[in-house]
Amino acid sequence: MIHTLPVYLLSNMRRDRLAADMFTVVANCILMQWTTQSIALFASSIFRGFPQASMFANAISLFLTMSAGFSLTHVPVWLRWLRWLSPTFYSFRVVATTQFKDRTFSCEGVTGVQLTQCDGNNVLRGLDFTLGTPLIVWFAAEIGMIVVLYTLAGLIMHFYKPGGVKHAPGRGVDSRGKESMLTGDMDIVRARIDVEVRNVSFKWSRSGLPFGLASPVEKQILSGITSVFPAGQVSAIMGPSGAGKSTLLQLLAHRKLNAGPGAHFSMTGEILFNGKAASDDVQNSVAFVEQEDEYHLSALTVRETLRYAAILRLPPKMSRKRKISRAEEVLIMLGLKDCANVYVGGPLMKGISGGEKRRLSLAVQMINDPSVLVVDEPTSGLDSFIANNVMQCLKDIARSGRTVIVTVHQPRSDIFHSFDNLLILAKGGHAVFSGRRERAVAFMESQGYPLPSIWFNPADHLLDLVSVDQRPGKMGDSRQRVEGLVEFWDAHREKQDMANEREKSELVSQPLVPESRFTPMYIAFPVVWERMFRNLWRQKEAFWGRLIQGPFTGVLLLAFYERLTFGPTAGQDRIGLNLQSTSAIPFVGLISGIAVFPQDRQLFMHEYRTSAAYSTTTFILAYSLMEIPFQFLASLLYTVFMNIAVGMQTSPRIYFEYAVTIWALHSLGESIAVIFASFFDAMGIAVSLVSTALSMIVQMSGILSLAVPFVLQVIAWGTPLKAAQRMQFINECQGLQFHCSASDITNGICTAQNGEQLLQLYGFIDRNTAKLAGIAVATAICWRVLGWLALTARMARG
Ligand SMILES: Nc1ncnc2c1ncn2[C@@H]1O[C@H](COP(=O)(O)OP(=O)(O)OP(=O)(O)O)[C@@H](O)[C@H]1O
């Protein structure tokens, strides 16, 4: 509705029966969307990977749109039957019937045979419509298509189960995650850093809006927390959901927190490292392991992932050989040797197990040999064996002198017993207990809350005590209990002596951290480019999809246009070809970008927040230089089909100008994917917004519609589409002659007798095609710069 209502009114569609016609057009648009969705569902029931499914769905849509007789008047006989399967065919009939049926246009000054075109019913007859067919028939056909496509998709998904997930090569399935962990560098002496939080309070607030439109809001996230996390031990922060565990962890790791628009955070209290406020050096010794492991590139092996991480994270002055040997050390230390040559894997390719992935994330952070390791939910989503394995790994890391701080929501009993220290938080970020783990149960008992039985999981017991029970009748008591515990701890925390648990801390070695957080471009660029390319090369569907999708679109268009003729409809056919061959390409770029970019961006964003950071410029440059060869090759091949095989006018100059503008359009689509993927994680939004935006740009570009308001004409130069369409059209029309008989001319079939007349019709006076190709390339580059700016803005937001 948001799309159709403004389009209906702005494009001045029929007003004499406004309510009825507008309702019909909106209903038709909804059904059309639904049919398109069912095509997408059908495509993804056959191909379960995004690159193939989107390519297939795109091909079906193009096929069905072309066969509808809308943009191409002469559909080849062997493809004409396809119109009965085309939602566009039915939809076109609904819209054209509402606009032309029983309507007479004023047509001032028009005389003779042309007058026939002023009668709407004649226009419909000219389009080969049967006037007597009620609209309900076309609607029923659209609904029928939806039912058929949903049924087909359902049947295919029921009977065809390709497994969805492929197993990565490198190892048998049974041994995943079960190998024992070796510890490699546990005897290394390193900086021991005790971490201490002193009376830390943290508040989120948003100021109100003028005129009372929104009142100010405040939320206390942490309330006067005091605790010590000693070196050489595993300390866990426990508490119910929303108690502030992750927030505290992020503060300890010096992560930038995003408060959202119009809001900010404020902190009081101190976070101390060995008793001093954190200096840059010390901050660099803190590594943060996020809960999310999905940022690893799926088609790299564990060893490759660690090697690239070592090159990016270790100081530039360290030799490459030494960096690689550090990656091997960490590989052994984290017990990943057995799966060193297995692909990491992702949603569509089973690689290493969940536990191994967690250990890989730990390993990546351990590359710099940090003194403090901060880990968010290390065991969530893992089965008991693997969770224990990961905890053992963290214990070993702690025993080598590092400070390990983890958050846990509700640990199992065995996991609970592997913690040395515990900080228990209640809702509102209040501490309820902080100290040795084994004292926690006794402390609660002293408060009148003994463990119900020796078989009871102490973690469950502690968590129950600090949670407010939301059930009716239970809330009052449980709230009172939690408030009592908070008050008691506040009043007595000074007496809780944790200092005696600490071993003597001293700074004995420097961690392997680079001087600057940012890896210089000369080191980062080749590594990031090579890593992206290798990852893409191993994902054959995405790799070939990127290369083939454009030329494949060319083959489809060739099937419809066959060889261009010089008969009476030659002008319309060329207009249609120009429109289709240019407007399809940004989608090809968009789909290629969506298949690859989000994964690369996720890793970039992760690394940006750590010691592996490299600039947005490095990343966008590496990404662009990785995709440009594909785009060029695909554009050159596409041009063979469109410019040569279909029978357009050609020469070396025309061929290259055509290919260059196709590249610009392809690049536009990829840049749009970059812009959207910088802000949204759900790329579906990008596809739907972009398709609307692109169809508007196609309408503004001056080939589909002659009467475009001046402002929109100017806006249309903002994308390469306008320059590309104009350049291709000029090259095709110059010197072209059509064969039109006298009757073809009088009955209006022959819109133009030669190319020159077509160019005059469109008012294309400046015929400098090289200049137009240059404009297309320049605008494409501007769009990539916009992509870079979008990502830079996102990174600045945190
Ligand atoms: N950017 C933010 N804007 C507003 N409120 C926030 C923001 N970040 C966190 N909070 C609030 O702070 C409180 C603590 O959140 P936090 O994620 O730290 O809790 P948690 O204990 O880690 O929860 P969980 O176990 O569910 O992850 C929550 O009420 C949350 O809504």
Side-chain angles (χ1 to χ4, degrees), residues 202-206 219-222 237-250 257-260 263-265 291 376-377 407-410 425-429:
F202 195 67
K203 196 167 66 179
W204 173 87
S205 39
R206 193 176 55 210
K219 194 191 283 177
Q220 195 69 37
I221 299 180
L222 297 172
I237 306 171
M238 227 173 86
S241 187
K245 303 181 294 291
S246 304
T247 308
L248 179 56
L249 209 64
Q250 308 224 30
L257 291 157
N258 180 10
H264 67 275
F265 290 115
Q291 193 177 348
D376 200 5
E377 298 278 355
T407 57
V408 271
H409 183 65
Q410 193 152 18
L425 298 181
K427 203 101 185 186

Side-chain angles (χ1 to χ4, degrees), residues 403-417:
T403 315
V404 176
I405 309 169
V406 303
T407 57
V408 271
H409 183 65
Q410 193 152 18
R412 279 187 308 272
S413 171
D414 47 353
I415 301 282
F416 177 77
H417 284 105

